[in-house]
Amino acid sequence: MEPNRDTALHPTDAEQRLIGHLNKGAEADLGTGPADSTNMSLGTVRAEVLRALLAGGRAEWKASHGVYVRGARVVGRLDLSGVRLDRPMRFCGCVFTDTIVLSTPASTIRSSSSTAG
C-alpha cells in the first residue's frame, strides 16, 4: 500500500500561520508588497501543504470554510488530481512558482459564480 503523501508534511512557520487562520475560517495574510516573483516578503507555502488542506488529508488541518490566502509565494507544482474540491479557494496577491493542475477526469470541482445586477 502506498503511504499517504500528505502525512509526512511538517509545516513551516508561514504554513503554520496559514493553517491556524484556516482552522478559524479566516483569511491568511502571509505577506506584504506587490505580488511578483521578486518580492521576498511573501510567506512561502509549499504546494503540497495547500493540496493537503484542500484534500482534507490531515484531521488537524481544518479548512472546512475554504482556503483564503493573501500574499503567499506558493512553491512547487500544485497538483489537485483526484481531489474533490468542494470548498471555496481564493488566492489574492499570491505568486505561484509552478503550474496548477486542475484538469483531470478524477478531480471534481464545484464552482459558483455571481453576477452584478
Side-chain angles (χ1 to χ4, degrees), residues 4 6-7 9 23 48-64 67 80 82-87:
N4 183 338
D6 300 331
T7 59
L9 296 176
N23 282 344
E48 56 264 32
V49 171
L50 280 178
R51 183 187 193 288
L53 282 163
L54 291 163
R58 302 271 301 257
E60 67 274 22
W61 296 0
K62 297 177 176 81
S64 56
V67 174
L80 299 173
V83 175
R84 181 176 170 88
L85 299 172
D86 57 1
R87 298 174 189 99

Coordinates of all heavy atoms in Angstrom, one line a residue, residues 4 6-7 9 23 48-64 67 80 82-87:
N4 N 0.3 7.6 2.5 CA -0.4 8.9 2.2 C 0.7 10.0 2.1 O 1.4 10.2 3.0 CB -1.4 9.3 3.3 CG -2.1 10.5 3.1 OD1 -1.7 11.4 2.3 ND2 -3.3 10.6 3.7
D6 N 0.5 13.1 2.2 CA 0.2 14.3 3.0 C 0.6 14.1 4.4 O 0.7 15.0 5.2 CB -1.3 14.6 2.9 CG -1.8 14.9 1.5 OD1 -0.9 15.4 0.7 OD2 -2.9 14.7 1.2
T7 N 0.9 12.9 4.9 CA 1.2 12.6 6.3 C 2.6 13.0 6.7 O 2.8 13.2 7.9 CB 0.9 11.2 6.7 OG1 1.8 10.3 5.9 CG2 -0.5 10.8 6.5
L9 N 4.2 15.8 6.0 CA 4.4 17.2 5.9 C 4.7 17.8 7.3 O 3.9 17.5 8.3 CB 3.3 17.9 5.3 CG 3.0 17.6 3.8 CD1 1.7 18.3 3.4 CD2 4.2 18.0 3.0
N23 N -8.1 27.1 10.1 CA -8.8 26.4 11.1 C -9.9 27.3 11.7 O -11.0 26.8 12.2 CB -7.9 25.9 12.2 CG -7.1 24.6 11.8 OD1 -7.5 24.0 10.8 ND2 -6.1 24.3 12.5
E48 N 2.4 21.2 -1.7 CA 1.8 20.0 -1.1 C 1.1 20.3 0.2 O 0.2 19.5 0.5 CB 2.9 18.9 -0.9 CG 4.1 19.4 -0.1 CD 5.3 19.8 -1.0 OE1 5.0 20.4 -2.1 OE2 6.4 19.6 -0.5
V49 N 1.4 21.4 0.9 CA 0.6 21.8 2.0 C -0.8 22.3 1.6 O -1.8 21.9 2.2 CB 1.4 22.8 2.9 CG1 0.5 23.4 4.0 CG2 2.6 22.2 3.5
L50 N -0.8 23.1 0.6 CA -2.1 23.5 0.0 C -3.0 22.3 -0.4 O -4.2 22.2 -0.1 CB -2.0 24.5 -1.1 CG -1.6 25.9 -0.7 CD1 -1.4 26.7 -2.0 CD2 -2.7 26.5 0.1
R51 N -2.3 21.4 -1.1 CA -3.0 20.2 -1.5 C -3.6 19.4 -0.3 O -4.8 19.0 -0.3 CB -2.1 19.2 -2.3 CG -2.8 18.0 -2.8 CD -1.9 17.0 -3.5 NE -2.6 16.0 -4.2 CZ -3.4 15.1 -3.7 NH1 -3.5 15.0 -2.4 NH2 -4.0 14.2 -4.5
A52 N -2.8 19.3 0.7 CA -3.3 18.6 1.9 C -4.5 19.3 2.6 O -5.5 18.7 3.0 CB -2.2 18.4 2.9
L53 N -4.4 20.6 2.6 CA -5.5 21.4 3.1 C -6.8 21.2 2.3 O -7.9 21.1 2.8 CB -5.2 22.9 3.2 CG -4.3 23.3 4.3 CD1 -3.7 24.7 4.0 CD2 -5.1 23.4 5.6
L54 N -6.7 21.3 1.0 CA -7.8 21.2 0.1 C -8.4 19.8 0.0 O -9.6 19.6 -0.1 CB -7.4 21.7 -1.3 CG -7.2 23.2 -1.4 CD1 -6.4 23.5 -2.7 CD2 -8.5 23.9 -1.3
A55 N -7.5 18.8 0.2 CA -7.9 17.4 0.1 C -8.5 16.9 1.5 O -9.1 15.8 1.5 CB -6.8 16.5 -0.4
G56 N -8.2 17.6 2.5 CA -8.6 17.1 3.8 C -7.8 16.0 4.3 O -8.3 15.1 5.1
G57 N -6.5 15.9 3.9 CA -5.7 14.8 4.2 C -5.2 14.7 5.7 O -4.7 13.7 6.1
R58 N -5.3 15.8 6.4 CA -4.9 15.9 7.8 C -6.0 16.3 8.7 O -6.6 17.4 8.5 CB -3.7 16.8 8.0 CG -2.5 16.6 7.1 CD -1.5 15.6 7.8 NE -1.0 16.1 9.0 CZ 0.2 16.7 9.2 NH1 1.0 16.8 8.1 NH2 0.6 17.0 10.4
A59 N -6.4 15.5 9.7 CA -7.6 15.8 10.5 C -7.4 17.1 11.3 O -8.3 17.9 11.5 CB -7.8 14.7 11.5
E60 N -6.1 17.4 11.7 CA -5.9 18.6 12.5 C -5.8 19.9 11.6 O -5.8 21.0 12.1 CB -4.6 18.5 13.3 CG -3.3 18.4 12.5 CD -2.9 17.0 12.0 OE1 -3.8 16.1 11.9 OE2 -1.8 16.8 11.8
W61 N -5.8 19.7 10.3 CA -5.8 20.9 9.4 C -7.3 21.0 8.8 O -7.6 20.4 7.9 CB -4.9 20.7 8.2 CG -3.4 20.6 8.6 CD1 -2.9 20.7 9.9 CD2 -2.3 20.4 7.8 NE1 -1.6 20.6 9.9 CE2 -1.2 20.4 8.6 CE3 -2.2 20.3 6.4 CZ2 0.1 20.3 8.0 CZ3 -1.0 20.1 5.9 CH2 0.2 20.1 6.7
K62 N -8.0 21.9 9.4 CA -9.4 22.0 9.1 C -9.6 23.3 8.2 O -9.6 24.4 8.8 CB -10.3 22.1 10.3 CG -10.2 20.8 11.1 CD -11.1 20.9 12.4 CE -11.1 19.6 13.1 NZ -9.9 19.4 13.9
A63 N -9.8 23.1 7.0 CA -10.2 24.2 6.1 C -11.6 24.1 5.6 O -11.9 24.3 4.4 CB -9.2 24.3 4.9
S64 N -12.5 23.7 6.5 CA -13.9 23.4 6.1 C -14.6 24.6 5.6 O -15.6 24.4 4.9 CB -14.6 22.8 7.3 OG -14.6 23.7 8.4
V67 N -10.3 27.9 1.6 CA -8.9 28.3 1.6 C -8.8 29.7 1.1 O -9.1 29.9 -0.1 CB -8.0 27.4 0.9 CG1 -6.6 27.9 0.8 CG2 -8.0 26.0 1.5
L80 N -3.7 19.0 -8.0 CA -5.0 18.6 -7.4 C -5.7 17.5 -8.1 O -6.9 17.3 -7.9 CB -5.9 19.9 -7.3 CG -5.3 21.0 -6.5 CD1 -6.1 22.3 -6.7 CD2 -5.1 20.6 -5.1
G82 N -7.4 14.2 -8.7 CA -8.1 13.3 -7.8 C -8.7 13.9 -6.6 O -9.2 13.2 -5.7
V83 N -8.5 15.2 -6.4 CA -9.0 15.9 -5.2 C -10.4 16.4 -5.4 O -10.7 17.0 -6.4 CB -8.1 17.0 -4.8 CG1 -8.6 17.8 -3.6 CG2 -6.7 16.5 -4.5
R84 N -11.3 16.1 -4.5 CA -12.7 16.7 -4.6 C -12.6 18.1 -4.0 O -12.4 18.3 -2.8 CB -13.6 15.8 -3.8 CG -15.1 16.3 -3.9 CD -16.0 15.4 -3.2 NE -17.3 16.0 -3.1 CZ -18.3 16.0 -4.0 NH1 -18.0 15.3 -5.1 NH2 -19.4 16.6 -3.8
L85 N -12.8 19.1 -4.9 CA -12.7 20.5 -4.5 C -14.1 21.0 -4.2 O -14.7 21.6 -5.1 CB -12.0 21.3 -5.6 CG -10.5 20.8 -5.9 CD1 -10.0 21.5 -7.1 CD2 -9.7 21.0 -4.7
D86 N -14.6 20.8 -3.0 CA -15.9 21.3 -2.7 C -15.9 22.4 -1.7 O -16.9 22.8 -1.1 CB -16.8 20.1 -2.2 CG -16.2 19.4 -1.0 OD1 -15.1 19.8 -0.5 OD2 -16.8 18.4 -0.5
R87 N -14.7 23.0 -1.5 CA -14.6 24.2 -0.6 C -14.1 25.3 -1.5 O -13.4 25.1 -2.5 CB -13.5 23.9 0.4 CG -13.8 22.8 1.4 CD -12.6 22.6 2.3 NE -12.8 21.4 3.1 CZ -12.3 20.2 2.8 NH1 -11.5 20.1 1.7 NH2 -12.5 19.2 3.5

